[in-house]
Short mmCIF file of all heavy atoms in Angstrom, two decimals:
data_model
loop_
_atom_site.label_atom_id
_atom_site.label_comp_id
_atom_site.label_asym_id
_atom_site.label_seq_id
_atom_site.Cartn_x
_atom_site.Cartn_y
_atom_site.Cartn_z
N VAL Z 97 -29.53 -30.24 -33.00
CA VAL Z 97 -30.60 -29.42 -33.69
C VAL Z 97 -30.26 -29.23 -35.18
O VAL Z 97 -29.29 -28.37 -35.50
CB VAL Z 97 -30.69 -27.94 -33.00
CG1 VAL Z 97 -31.80 -27.13 -33.53
CG2 VAL Z 97 -31.02 -28.24 -31.49
N PRO Z 98 -30.88 -29.90 -36.14
CA PRO Z 98 -30.53 -29.67 -37.56
C PRO Z 98 -30.57 -28.26 -38.06
O PRO Z 98 -29.65 -27.88 -38.78
CB PRO Z 98 -31.62 -30.63 -38.26
CG PRO Z 98 -31.98 -31.56 -37.28
CD PRO Z 98 -31.90 -30.90 -35.92
N GLU Z 99 -31.51 -27.40 -37.52
CA GLU Z 99 -31.49 -26.03 -37.80
C GLU Z 99 -30.18 -25.33 -37.62
O GLU Z 99 -29.71 -24.52 -38.43
CB GLU Z 99 -32.65 -25.32 -37.05
CG GLU Z 99 -32.61 -23.81 -37.18
CD GLU Z 99 -33.57 -23.13 -36.11
OE1 GLU Z 99 -34.45 -23.81 -35.63
OE2 GLU Z 99 -33.21 -21.99 -35.88
N VAL Z 100 -29.65 -25.64 -36.44
CA VAL Z 100 -28.21 -25.04 -36.12
C VAL Z 100 -27.00 -25.44 -37.10
O VAL Z 100 -26.27 -24.78 -37.54
CB VAL Z 100 -27.91 -25.38 -34.71
CG1 VAL Z 100 -26.46 -24.89 -34.35
CG2 VAL Z 100 -28.89 -24.64 -33.74
N ILE Z 101 -27.09 -26.91 -37.38
CA ILE Z 101 -26.27 -27.28 -38.24
C ILE Z 101 -26.26 -26.83 -39.67
O ILE Z 101 -25.23 -26.41 -40.20
CB ILE Z 101 -26.26 -28.87 -38.29
CG1 ILE Z 101 -25.98 -29.38 -36.92
CG2 ILE Z 101 -25.23 -29.46 -39.43
CD1 ILE Z 101 -26.07 -30.91 -36.83
N ASP Z 102 -27.56 -26.69 -40.06
CA ASP Z 102 -27.86 -26.04 -41.36
C ASP Z 102 -27.22 -24.49 -41.58
O ASP Z 102 -26.76 -24.13 -42.38
CB ASP Z 102 -29.34 -26.00 -41.71
CG ASP Z 102 -29.79 -27.41 -42.01
OD1 ASP Z 102 -28.90 -28.36 -42.26
OD2 ASP Z 102 -31.01 -27.74 -42.06
N ALA Z 103 -27.66 -23.76 -40.37
CA ALA Z 103 -27.29 -22.33 -40.37
C ALA Z 103 -25.75 -22.33 -40.36
O ALA Z 103 -25.04 -21.39 -41.09
CB ALA Z 103 -27.83 -21.65 -39.14
N CYS Z 104 -25.14 -23.13 -39.56
CA CYS Z 104 -23.58 -23.01 -39.60
C CYS Z 104 -22.93 -23.39 -40.86
O CYS Z 104 -21.97 -22.80 -41.30
CB CYS Z 104 -23.07 -23.99 -38.54
SG CYS Z 104 -23.32 -23.47 -36.78
N ARG Z 105 -23.51 -24.44 -41.56
CA ARG Z 105 -23.09 -24.71 -42.86
C ARG Z 105 -23.17 -23.53 -43.87
O ARG Z 105 -22.21 -23.17 -44.59
CB ARG Z 105 -23.85 -25.88 -43.46
CG ARG Z 105 -23.25 -26.45 -44.82
CD ARG Z 105 -24.15 -27.52 -45.44
NE ARG Z 105 -24.15 -28.67 -44.58
CZ ARG Z 105 -25.25 -28.99 -43.94
NH1 ARG Z 105 -26.42 -28.32 -44.01
NH2 ARG Z 105 -25.19 -30.07 -43.16
N THR Z 106 -24.27 -22.79 -43.80
CA THR Z 106 -24.54 -21.58 -44.64
C THR Z 106 -23.50 -20.53 -44.36
O THR Z 106 -22.93 -19.78 -45.13
CB THR Z 106 -25.99 -21.10 -44.49
OG1 THR Z 106 -26.81 -22.14 -44.83
CG2 THR Z 106 -26.15 -19.81 -45.28
N LEU Z 107 -23.19 -20.36 -42.99
CA LEU Z 107 -22.33 -19.39 -42.45
C LEU Z 107 -20.74 -19.78 -42.67
O LEU Z 107 -19.92 -18.98 -42.44
CB LEU Z 107 -22.57 -19.15 -41.01
CG LEU Z 107 -23.91 -18.56 -40.60
CD1 LEU Z 107 -24.21 -18.82 -39.13
CD2 LEU Z 107 -23.85 -17.03 -41.01
N GLY Z 108 -20.54 -21.03 -43.05
CA GLY Z 108 -19.21 -21.53 -43.22
C GLY Z 108 -18.46 -21.75 -41.87
O GLY Z 108 -17.21 -21.52 -41.63
N LEU Z 109 -19.39 -22.07 -40.93
CA LEU Z 109 -18.75 -22.15 -39.42
C LEU Z 109 -19.05 -23.52 -39.01
O LEU Z 109 -20.08 -24.12 -39.29
CB LEU Z 109 -19.68 -21.25 -38.68
CG LEU Z 109 -19.16 -20.76 -37.31
CD1 LEU Z 109 -17.91 -19.94 -37.48
CD2 LEU Z 109 -20.24 -19.87 -36.60
N PRO Z 110 -18.16 -24.27 -38.35
CA PRO Z 110 -18.14 -25.62 -37.91
C PRO Z 110 -19.21 -25.54 -36.85
O PRO Z 110 -19.34 -24.69 -35.91
CB PRO Z 110 -16.90 -26.04 -37.37
CG PRO Z 110 -15.87 -25.00 -37.70
CD PRO Z 110 -16.79 -23.79 -38.07
N ALA Z 111 -20.28 -26.72 -36.85
CA ALA Z 111 -21.14 -26.91 -35.80
C ALA Z 111 -20.61 -28.17 -35.10
O ALA Z 111 -20.30 -29.12 -35.64
CB ALA Z 111 -22.42 -27.12 -36.52
N ILE Z 112 -20.74 -28.08 -33.76
CA ILE Z 112 -20.42 -29.22 -32.84
C ILE Z 112 -21.60 -29.41 -32.04
O ILE Z 112 -21.84 -28.96 -30.95
CB ILE Z 112 -19.28 -28.91 -31.98
CG1 ILE Z 112 -18.05 -28.38 -32.75
CG2 ILE Z 112 -18.86 -30.01 -31.09
CD1 ILE Z 112 -16.85 -27.99 -31.99
N PRO Z 113 -22.58 -30.20 -32.51
CA PRO Z 113 -23.91 -30.46 -31.83
C PRO Z 113 -23.67 -31.34 -30.65
O PRO Z 113 -22.79 -32.31 -30.66
CB PRO Z 113 -24.72 -31.10 -32.91
CG PRO Z 113 -23.74 -31.79 -33.78
CD PRO Z 113 -22.53 -30.88 -33.88
N GLY Z 114 -24.63 -31.33 -29.65
CA GLY Z 114 -24.64 -32.30 -28.58
C GLY Z 114 -25.31 -33.63 -28.88
O GLY Z 114 -26.19 -33.43 -29.64
N ALA Z 115 -24.78 -34.66 -28.42
CA ALA Z 115 -25.34 -35.99 -28.56
C ALA Z 115 -25.15 -36.86 -27.46
O ALA Z 115 -24.16 -36.63 -26.68
CB ALA Z 115 -24.85 -36.61 -29.89
N LEU Z 116 -25.93 -37.78 -27.32
CA LEU Z 116 -25.63 -38.81 -26.29
C LEU Z 116 -25.75 -40.29 -26.69
O LEU Z 116 -24.97 -41.05 -26.34
CB LEU Z 116 -26.81 -38.70 -25.14
CG LEU Z 116 -26.50 -39.45 -23.80
CD1 LEU Z 116 -25.19 -39.06 -23.17
CD2 LEU Z 116 -27.78 -39.30 -22.94
N THR Z 117 -26.71 -40.52 -27.65
CA THR Z 117 -26.91 -41.95 -28.01
C THR Z 117 -26.21 -42.10 -29.30
O THR Z 117 -25.90 -41.30 -30.12
CB THR Z 117 -28.38 -42.23 -28.26
OG1 THR Z 117 -28.86 -41.35 -29.38
CG2 THR Z 117 -29.35 -41.81 -27.01
N PRO Z 118 -26.02 -43.43 -29.65
CA PRO Z 118 -25.45 -43.77 -31.00
C PRO Z 118 -26.17 -43.26 -32.15
O PRO Z 118 -25.62 -42.71 -33.14
CB PRO Z 118 -25.50 -45.22 -31.04
CG PRO Z 118 -25.45 -45.69 -29.51
CD PRO Z 118 -26.19 -44.73 -28.86
N THR Z 119 -27.58 -43.23 -32.09
CA THR Z 119 -28.38 -42.72 -33.20
C THR Z 119 -28.12 -41.27 -33.35
O THR Z 119 -28.01 -40.70 -34.39
CB THR Z 119 -29.87 -42.90 -32.84
OG1 THR Z 119 -30.18 -44.24 -32.84
CG2 THR Z 119 -30.76 -42.33 -33.95
N GLU Z 120 -27.94 -40.48 -32.25
CA GLU Z 120 -27.74 -38.98 -32.26
C GLU Z 120 -26.26 -38.85 -32.86
O GLU Z 120 -26.04 -37.84 -33.78
CB GLU Z 120 -27.82 -38.39 -30.96
CG GLU Z 120 -29.25 -38.29 -30.45
CD GLU Z 120 -29.51 -37.94 -29.02
OE1 GLU Z 120 -28.48 -37.98 -28.25
OE2 GLU Z 120 -30.53 -37.59 -28.60
N VAL Z 121 -25.32 -39.59 -32.53
CA VAL Z 121 -23.98 -39.46 -32.99
C VAL Z 121 -24.00 -39.56 -34.46
O VAL Z 121 -23.44 -38.81 -35.27
CB VAL Z 121 -22.98 -40.32 -32.23
CG1 VAL Z 121 -21.71 -40.31 -33.09
CG2 VAL Z 121 -22.84 -39.96 -30.85
N GLU Z 122 -24.67 -40.69 -35.03
CA GLU Z 122 -24.72 -40.98 -36.42
C GLU Z 122 -25.45 -39.74 -37.14
O GLU Z 122 -24.92 -39.47 -38.25
CB GLU Z 122 -25.40 -42.39 -36.69
CG GLU Z 122 -25.60 -42.75 -38.00
CD GLU Z 122 -24.25 -43.04 -38.74
OE1 GLU Z 122 -23.26 -43.33 -38.12
OE2 GLU Z 122 -24.29 -43.04 -40.04
N THR Z 123 -26.57 -39.36 -36.57
CA THR Z 123 -27.35 -38.47 -37.27
C THR Z 123 -26.53 -37.11 -37.33
O THR Z 123 -26.51 -36.47 -38.36
CB THR Z 123 -28.55 -38.09 -36.55
OG1 THR Z 123 -29.35 -39.18 -36.22
CG2 THR Z 123 -29.43 -37.02 -37.14
N ALA Z 124 -25.77 -36.72 -36.31
CA ALA Z 124 -24.96 -35.48 -36.41
C ALA Z 124 -24.00 -35.62 -37.47
O ALA Z 124 -23.64 -34.61 -38.35
CB ALA Z 124 -24.31 -35.29 -35.01
N ARG Z 125 -23.32 -36.78 -37.63
CA ARG Z 125 -22.36 -36.94 -38.66
C ARG Z 125 -22.91 -36.93 -40.07
O ARG Z 125 -22.44 -36.30 -40.98
CB ARG Z 125 -21.57 -38.27 -38.47
CG ARG Z 125 -20.42 -38.19 -37.45
CD ARG Z 125 -19.43 -37.18 -37.77
NE ARG Z 125 -18.37 -37.78 -38.51
CZ ARG Z 125 -17.25 -37.20 -38.82
NH1 ARG Z 125 -17.04 -35.85 -38.53
NH2 ARG Z 125 -16.18 -37.77 -39.45
N ARG Z 126 -24.10 -37.55 -40.20
CA ARG Z 126 -24.74 -37.43 -41.52
C ARG Z 126 -25.22 -36.14 -41.96
O ARG Z 126 -25.27 -35.72 -43.04
CB ARG Z 126 -25.91 -38.41 -41.49
CG ARG Z 126 -25.60 -39.96 -41.59
CD ARG Z 126 -26.82 -40.85 -41.49
NE ARG Z 126 -26.31 -42.22 -41.52
CZ ARG Z 126 -26.43 -43.03 -42.59
NH1 ARG Z 126 -26.79 -42.47 -43.71
NH2 ARG Z 126 -26.02 -44.25 -42.53
N LEU Z 127 -25.45 -35.28 -40.92
CA LEU Z 127 -25.84 -33.92 -41.13
C LEU Z 127 -24.58 -32.98 -41.42
O LEU Z 127 -24.76 -31.71 -41.74
CB LEU Z 127 -26.70 -33.35 -39.93
CG LEU Z 127 -28.12 -33.88 -39.83
CD1 LEU Z 127 -28.73 -33.41 -38.54
CD2 LEU Z 127 -29.00 -33.46 -41.02
N GLY Z 128 -23.41 -33.54 -41.39
CA GLY Z 128 -22.32 -32.81 -41.58
C GLY Z 128 -21.44 -32.23 -40.55
O GLY Z 128 -20.48 -31.35 -40.74
N ALA Z 129 -21.76 -32.61 -39.20
CA ALA Z 129 -20.99 -32.02 -38.18
C ALA Z 129 -19.60 -32.71 -38.17
O ALA Z 129 -19.38 -33.90 -38.16
CB ALA Z 129 -21.67 -32.41 -36.83
N PRO Z 130 -18.51 -31.80 -38.11
CA PRO Z 130 -17.15 -32.32 -38.20
C PRO Z 130 -16.68 -32.88 -36.72
O PRO Z 130 -15.77 -33.48 -36.79
CB PRO Z 130 -16.31 -31.11 -38.56
CG PRO Z 130 -17.14 -29.87 -37.96
CD PRO Z 130 -18.59 -30.32 -38.12
N MET Z 131 -17.40 -32.48 -35.71
CA MET Z 131 -17.16 -32.98 -34.31
C MET Z 131 -18.35 -33.13 -33.59
O MET Z 131 -19.44 -32.33 -33.95
CB MET Z 131 -16.08 -32.00 -33.67
CG MET Z 131 -15.78 -32.38 -32.21
SD MET Z 131 -14.48 -31.38 -31.58
CE MET Z 131 -13.06 -32.42 -31.87
N VAL Z 132 -18.53 -34.05 -32.74
CA VAL Z 132 -19.76 -34.26 -31.96
C VAL Z 132 -19.52 -33.94 -30.53
O VAL Z 132 -18.49 -34.62 -29.87
CB VAL Z 132 -20.47 -35.61 -32.19
CG1 VAL Z 132 -21.67 -35.76 -31.35
CG2 VAL Z 132 -20.80 -35.70 -33.63
N LYS Z 133 -20.24 -33.29 -29.74
CA LYS Z 133 -20.14 -33.03 -28.31
C LYS Z 133 -20.81 -34.05 -27.59
O LYS Z 133 -22.21 -34.18 -27.83
CB LYS Z 133 -20.61 -31.68 -27.94
CG LYS Z 133 -20.80 -31.43 -26.45
CD LYS Z 133 -21.40 -30.06 -26.17
CE LYS Z 133 -21.85 -29.84 -24.83
NZ LYS Z 133 -22.24 -28.46 -24.48
N LEU Z 134 -20.12 -34.95 -26.79
CA LEU Z 134 -20.80 -35.97 -26.02
C LEU Z 134 -21.19 -35.32 -24.70
O LEU Z 134 -20.37 -35.02 -23.92
CB LEU Z 134 -19.92 -37.17 -25.78
CG LEU Z 134 -20.65 -38.44 -25.16
CD1 LEU Z 134 -21.70 -39.05 -25.86
CD2 LEU Z 134 -19.47 -39.38 -24.80
N PHE Z 135 -22.54 -35.27 -24.47
CA PHE Z 135 -23.10 -34.49 -23.31
C PHE Z 135 -24.32 -35.18 -22.79
O PHE Z 135 -25.25 -35.46 -23.62
CB PHE Z 135 -23.28 -33.14 -23.57
CG PHE Z 135 -23.96 -32.36 -22.48
CD1 PHE Z 135 -23.32 -31.81 -21.41
CD2 PHE Z 135 -25.32 -32.14 -22.67
CE1 PHE Z 135 -23.84 -31.10 -20.51
CE2 PHE Z 135 -25.91 -31.40 -21.52
CZ PHE Z 135 -25.18 -30.89 -20.52
N PRO Z 136 -24.55 -35.42 -21.52
CA PRO Z 136 -23.53 -35.19 -20.50
C PRO Z 136 -22.76 -36.52 -20.24
O PRO Z 136 -23.30 -37.64 -20.27
CB PRO Z 136 -24.36 -34.99 -19.21
CG PRO Z 136 -25.66 -35.54 -19.44
CD PRO Z 136 -25.81 -35.65 -20.89
N ALA Z 137 -21.42 -36.47 -20.14
CA ALA Z 137 -20.57 -37.60 -20.18
C ALA Z 137 -20.23 -38.19 -18.86
O ALA Z 137 -19.97 -39.47 -18.79
CB ALA Z 137 -19.33 -37.24 -21.00
#
Side-chain angles (χ1 to χ4, degrees):
V97 182
E99 170 194 338
V100 172
I101 298 174
D102 290 344
C104 286
R105 184 183 302 109
T106 299
L107 295 161
L109 204 61
I112 307 173
L116 184 63
T117 68
T119 299
E120 290 170 341
V121 171
E122 178 69 19
T123 302
R125 279 301 264 185
R126 286 176 181 260
L127 290 172
M131 176 174 264
V132 176
K133 169 180 167 174
L134 184 65
F135 171 81

